[in-house]
Amino acid sequence: MRLDGLKNDLPETPDFIHNMIQEEVARQTKITNMVPMKKRHKYKWKMGHAAAVALICIMGTSAAAYAGTKLYYMYLEHRGEYSVATGINVDEGAKKTKLPKEIKDIEISAGYIPEGMEWMDDYKLSYSDTPYLGGISISSVLIDQDDLGKTWIDKGVIESEELTFGEHEGVYVKLLDLKQDKSFDKRIYLFYPEEYRVFTIYFGDDVTKEDAIKFAENMTITEKEDLIETKGLQTWSDMVNPVADTGEIRNKVAEDQITINGIGDTMALEAMYEDTEGNTDISDGISVCADSIQVLDNLSVLEGADIPEEWKTAVTSDGKLKQNHLSYVKSGDGENTLDKVVDEAAVNQKLVYAQVTYTNNTDAEMRNILYHGSLVTIKHENGSYRIYLPSEEPGDGYDYYMEDGVAKTGSMTYCSAVEDYGNGGNYIGALAPGESVQVVMAWIVDETDLDNLYLNLNSDGGIIEFTDSMLKGGVISLSAHK
């Protein structure tokens, strides 16, 4: 997915991992165009917030009537060797009924869940050791009579078929997945005309086809007493022909629009905190300084720290970081040609270890101060600065690359100050007036990206675009590590 395709709404996530998950979802949506739902048992579902593709029938007949007569049906058409279209239509002569003004709210339950998987929220299931990757995610939209015959196009399809899941029709689609990295490579469009809905169920590459089909066959929809208005909610047409988003990602700015700080420079921040009465506010009375930044080829500096599990397997027997294997890919058109690996390479991985000091410059105690650090790849060229995603930067003979190492720019993968507060833990417990605290942040990155890495300590954590706070406070160049 290119930068201009990362503007989809994102799920609510814990503060500590919000930007990391944003980056991960953006990467996955290169293939799936999917956004998961909200947290289980905490938020009431609003279909207007449903983030992906599914259908919903417009039948005015009852469920019992539908069982006896097949007036509406789901169909699958091939559009090129690797492209398929999925749609809903009505038998000729059948009466078309407009979508009611109100329909019943629903609840989803599962009669079968793959072993080891658990509900993360009302519409997302994952394995416990990879809670935000792969698994199963469910979404839906509405359909009115004007939507009949309109089709959603999937490209890069390597397997597809019309199936019956219990008493309901559906379409199974599997997309090309060059890298088995728990991205969503399978989906089932499941038609529920009696509930005025068709669901799209996304399955990660950690879910087998057999488990996907069994899950769909045993999915149960229960009507609630609550009625919800259908006006303004997302429809099939909205998904097939979305309204163009005129807002552009600000991934390029003139060099005089942003301050480039050095290691040891002090920056003013706008930080969220709580006062002594427990009131949440934002203050510009916090300053921050990157005291030192080291680039290392091992993890010895983090010995004894609670580092990510995947980092523990990223070192060789002599303690050095393993190389990252890159596969360079030439994109196909998704219809008659598929993406293809055209070259491979190995690059060294490095640990970026930053010691950062936060200071309370106000005359009052501040508690539970939210802090954040992200490594951003920025190119300085022709009088401007441009943010880019390294793996999505085209090169000689290829359009993007995949990697199998742990290297990742973006939100801090490790931080030393963790408080049992909020959802994520990246909070400084308390700072008295004039008090300072040093925090350690760390990332593993590809050595080839070092020359273009900048540290963004602004709390909104811009990764794919220049945020207002980045332009106001600036970013820190890592060039001083040399």
Side-chain angles (χ1 to χ4, degrees), residues 62 115 117 196-197 204 206 228 300 361 369 381 392 417 460:
S62 67
E115 185 177 355
M117 191 172 287
Y196 296 96
R197 296 169 173 85
D206 54 350
I228 53 177
S300 59
N361 299 304
I369 304 165
E381 52 192 6
E392 299 300 328
D460 59 6

Side-chain angles (χ1 to χ4, degrees), residues 18-83:
H18 177 80
N19 291 93
M20 181 172 65
I21 299 306
Q22 181 187 44
E23 186 181 60
E24 183 63 24
V25 172
R27 180 190 62 77
Q28 292 199 30
T29 56
K30 176 180 184 294
I31 300 176
T32 68
N33 201 28
M34 189 284 298
V35 181
M37 292 291 188
K38 296 184 179 180
K39 300 175 184 176
R40 185 170 178 82
H41 303 315
K42 187 172 182 181
Y43 299 99
K44 181 178 179 181
W45 179 54
K46 302 287 187 181
M47 281 189 297
H49 294 163
V53 310
L55 308 168
I56 177 166
C57 176
I58 59 169
M59 285 189 60
T61 55
S62 67
Y66 174 76
T69 58
K70 184 178 176 181
L71 301 180
Y72 293 80
Y73 59 93
M74 176 173 281
Y75 63 91
L76 174 69
E77 293 180 351
H78 290 272
R79 305 281 181 88
E81 188 174 356
Y82 303 108
S83 178

Side-chain angles (χ1 to χ4, degrees), residues 327-331 340-344 396-400:
S327 298
Y328 297 92
V329 181
K330 183 69 176 176
S331 298
K340 182 180 180 181
V341 175
V342 294
D343 200 2
E344 296 178 90
D396 184 17
Y398 68 91
D399 297 303
Y400 65 93

